[in-house]
Amino acid sequence: MAASSDLSGASERTQPAAHRRVCVLGGGCIGLSTAVLLAERLRDHYGDGSPVRTSVTIVSESFPPSTTSNVAAGLVRPFSVANAAPQQLDRWTTTTRKWLEKHMALVSGPERGIFPMFVVEGSDNEDDPPGWMRKMNAFKMLNNEEKSVLRLPSPCAWMWQTLIVESGLYLDYLKRVCVQTDVQFVEKKIESMDELAEYDLVVNCTGLASRTLFNDMSMVPVRGQIMRVRAPWIKHITIFNTGSVFTYIIPNKDMVVLGGTTQEGNWSTEVSPTDSADIWARCCEVIPSLRRATVLEETVGLRPLRKDGVRIALENVRLHDGRYLPVVHNYGHGGSGFTIHWGCAEDAVELAMPALRLPGVTAVASKL
């Protein structure tokens, strides 16, 4: 994984300006959370009376409810993240979980889409559970009798407690915070970085679009298809894998998410009737009462997997006019965007603040 705070090549932007403009590229979970944190940090450093004015604008081809993040079930659990060091993944996950728990404890927590929930997870891998799982609240191994009652078709099973981040509610909350901190929104597809030459810094949270915009061929889609159903009697999360097939039943506030598929390299965003039938059969086999559920929606999202690992790094991009534009990358989170988004936003903002060359802000050592 690349990470850098080197500002060489950006000498044209070393003098403090009266107004520093920041563009956050991408309007999903990663882009919104990074914009929120960056706007708050800038406000804390340069509030009323400061000689330096700063502004943050999110530029994106789409915003909620039309983003890949809106398709996510919102389970806080590492999933489909390539080449992440265990310590690094644990730090991102822990930071994010603490942020979410703080907001869940508020009276408005449910309105922000953050809920605690128990998970029953089965696996055909007879090795010990991953280290992060053992650190989760209420973790326990399930015995054969418990697995039988729960109808898990797995030789190993565990129970633990996690958080659910209901994507629609949570993304709407992040948008509200952006508005409160004067973040601007521009709906536009960017084809070239030259279109953003007016900005002093860009934070790239585009996910799969980084494949074309920054020629990152390690970005690949992992196609996920889900069903949302009405089944209010489902009160806990059920997850199990059989070989490479990952099945999940995840209650949200007013619906239940059934999934799914993990089809690496598949760019199709069309709902597949074959996948729908397979998802339905797998979920109903474990919880037969789901056959009484009403199907509300079927949808597809493409998880932005980066084979070289999540990229949080500073790059100076040369524009056609010869100038260099500092770009902080924050993309490639695979299926773990909601699980690690706040931890990754903190690392990205730590690179972004000194890249703006603002008075009183010094570069910090990268944690990556």
Side-chain angles (χ1 to χ4, degrees), residues 329-350:
H329 296 290
N330 182 14
Y331 68 91
H333 305 80
S336 294
F338 284 98
T339 300
I340 61 177
H341 70 283
W342 200 257
C344 291
E346 287 200 349
D347 283 359
V349 170
E350 283 193 354

Side-chain angles (χ1 to χ4, degrees), residues 135-184:
K135 298 177 183 178
M136 303 299 282
N137 294 335
F139 171 81
K140 67 167 290 187
M141 304 282 292
L142 298 182
N143 59 38
N144 289 333
E145 182 179 354
E146 291 167 328
K147 286 188 293 183
S148 177
V149 170
L150 293 167
R151 299 176 60 92
L152 287 174
S154 310
C156 299
W158 315 283
M159 178 178 287
W160 44 285
Q161 189 183 50
T162 189
L163 299 175
I164 286 295
V165 182
E166 186 161 343
S167 57
L169 293 174
Y170 185 66
L171 294 173
D172 285 346
Y173 163 67
L174 291 179
K175 284 178 64 178
R176 292 196 300 272
V177 178
C178 283
V179 172
Q180 293 166 5
T181 51
D182 296 321
V183 173
Q184 303 299 306

Side-chain angles (χ1 to χ4, degrees), residues 38-58:
L38 183 56
E40 290 179 346
R41 293 280 173 85
L42 289 170
R43 180 190 60 193
D44 291 343
H45 277 81
Y46 300 98
D48 295 339
S50 170
V52 178
R53 291 177 54 231
T54 61
S55 61
V56 178
T57 301
I58 304 177

Side-chain angles (χ1 to χ4, degrees), residues 81-367:
V81 184
N83 293 321
Q87 300 88 344
Q88 188 179 71
L89 188 60
D90 182 69
R91 178 171 61 82
W92 287 336
T93 302
T94 300
T95 298
T96 303
R97 189 173 68 244
K98 288 180 178 179
W99 154 265
L100 293 171
E101 287 173 343
K102 180 181 72 173
H103 287 261
M104 180 186 67
L106 302 175
V107 173
S108 58
E111 297 173 7
R112 301 178 185 188
I114 308 168
F115 311 94
M117 197 167 292
F118 278 97
V119 182
V120 173
E121 179 163 352
S123 174
D124 61 2
N125 185 347
E126 298 190 29
D127 295 336
D128 288 338
W132 63 262
M133 187 183 291
R134 289 187 175 275
K135 298 177 183 178
M136 303 299 282
N137 294 335
F139 171 81
K140 67 167 290 187
M141 304 282 292
L142 298 182
N143 59 38
N144 289 333
E145 182 179 354
E146 291 167 328
K147 286 188 293 183
S148 177
V149 170
L150 293 167
R151 299 176 60 92
L152 287 174
S154 310
C156 299
W158 315 283
M159 178 178 287
W160 44 285
Q161 189 183 50
T162 189
L163 299 175
I164 286 295
V165 182
E166 186 161 343
S167 57
L169 293 174
Y170 185 66
L171 294 173
D172 285 346
Y173 163 67
L174 291 179
K175 284 178 64 178
R176 292 196 300 272
V177 178
C178 283
V179 172
Q180 293 166 5
T181 51
D182 296 321
V183 173
Q184 303 299 306
F185 298 85
V186 174
E187 188 169 333
K188 179 183 179 181
K189 182 177 181 179
I190 299 299
E191 305 282 357
S192 166
M193 293 304 294
D194 288 283
E195 299 176 58
L196 302 175
E198 66 186 275
Y199 293 98
D200 299 285
L201 173 73
V202 172
V203 184
N204 171 38
C205 306
T206 58
L208 282 173
S210 295
R211 182 180 174 92
T212 53
L213 195 55
F214 294 95
N215 197 35
D216 189 341
M217 294 298 106
S218 71
M219 287 299 300
V220 296
V222 179
R223 182 180 176 275
Q225 180 168 318
I226 63 166
M227 308 172 74
R228 287 188 166 93
V229 304
R230 181 172 288 112
W233 59 90
I234 305 298
K235 301 297 185 183
H236 71 269
I237 300 164
T238 301
I239 304 172
F240 61 94
N241 73 285
T242 306
S244 61
V245 179
F246 196 77
T247 303
Y248 47 91
I249 301 162
I250 303 176
N252 281 187
K253 183 172 178 285
D254 298 314
M255 63 192 75
V256 178
V257 180
L258 309 183
T261 62
T262 52
Q263 299 163 352
E264 186 174 319
N266 187 341
W267 288 89
S268 174
T269 56
E270 298 297 320
V271 171
S272 162
T274 300
D275 288 339
S276 295
D278 182 52
I279 292 168
W280 183 258
R282 284 186 273 133
C283 293
C284 290
E285 181 180 359
V286 175
I287 304 181
S289 65
L290 281 171
R291 294 190 175 93
R292 298 189 284 113
T294 302
V295 177
L296 303 173
E297 178 188 31
E298 297 181 76
T299 188
V300 173
L302 303 179
R303 304 177 184 96
L305 177 68
R306 187 171 187 264
K307 286 184 171 292
D308 292 339
V310 177
R311 188 182 186 194
I312 302 178
L314 173 64
E315 175 185 9
N316 288 297
V317 176
R318 186 180 177 89
L319 304 179
H320 276 96
D321 63 6
R323 292 182 299 133
Y324 286 88
L325 176 62
V327 177
V328 172
H329 296 290
N330 182 14
Y331 68 91
H333 305 80
S336 294
F338 284 98
T339 300
I340 61 177
H341 70 283
W342 200 257
C344 291
E346 287 200 349
D347 283 359
V349 170
E350 283 193 354
L351 291 177
M353 291 290 287
L356 274 170
R357 293 297 179 108
L358 292 167
V361 178
T362 56
V364 297
S366 173
K367 298 178 181 178

Side-chain angles (χ1 to χ4, degrees), residues 16-90:
H19 186 190
R20 295 298 175 89
R21 298 173 175 85
V22 182
C23 170
V24 175
L25 267 182
C29 175
I30 302 301
L32 289 173
S33 56
T34 303
V36 165
L37 185 57
L38 183 56
E40 290 179 346
R41 293 280 173 85
L42 289 170
R43 180 190 60 193
D44 291 343
H45 277 81
Y46 300 98
D48 295 339
S50 170
V52 178
R53 291 177 54 231
T54 61
S55 61
V56 178
T57 301
I58 304 177
V59 179
S60 181
E61 184 178 4
S62 59
F63 288 97
S66 303
T67 69
T68 297
S69 297
N70 286 91
V71 180
L75 172 65
V76 177
R77 177 198 188 279
F79 179 72
S80 190
V81 184
N83 293 321
Q87 300 88 344
Q88 188 179 71
L89 188 60
D90 182 69

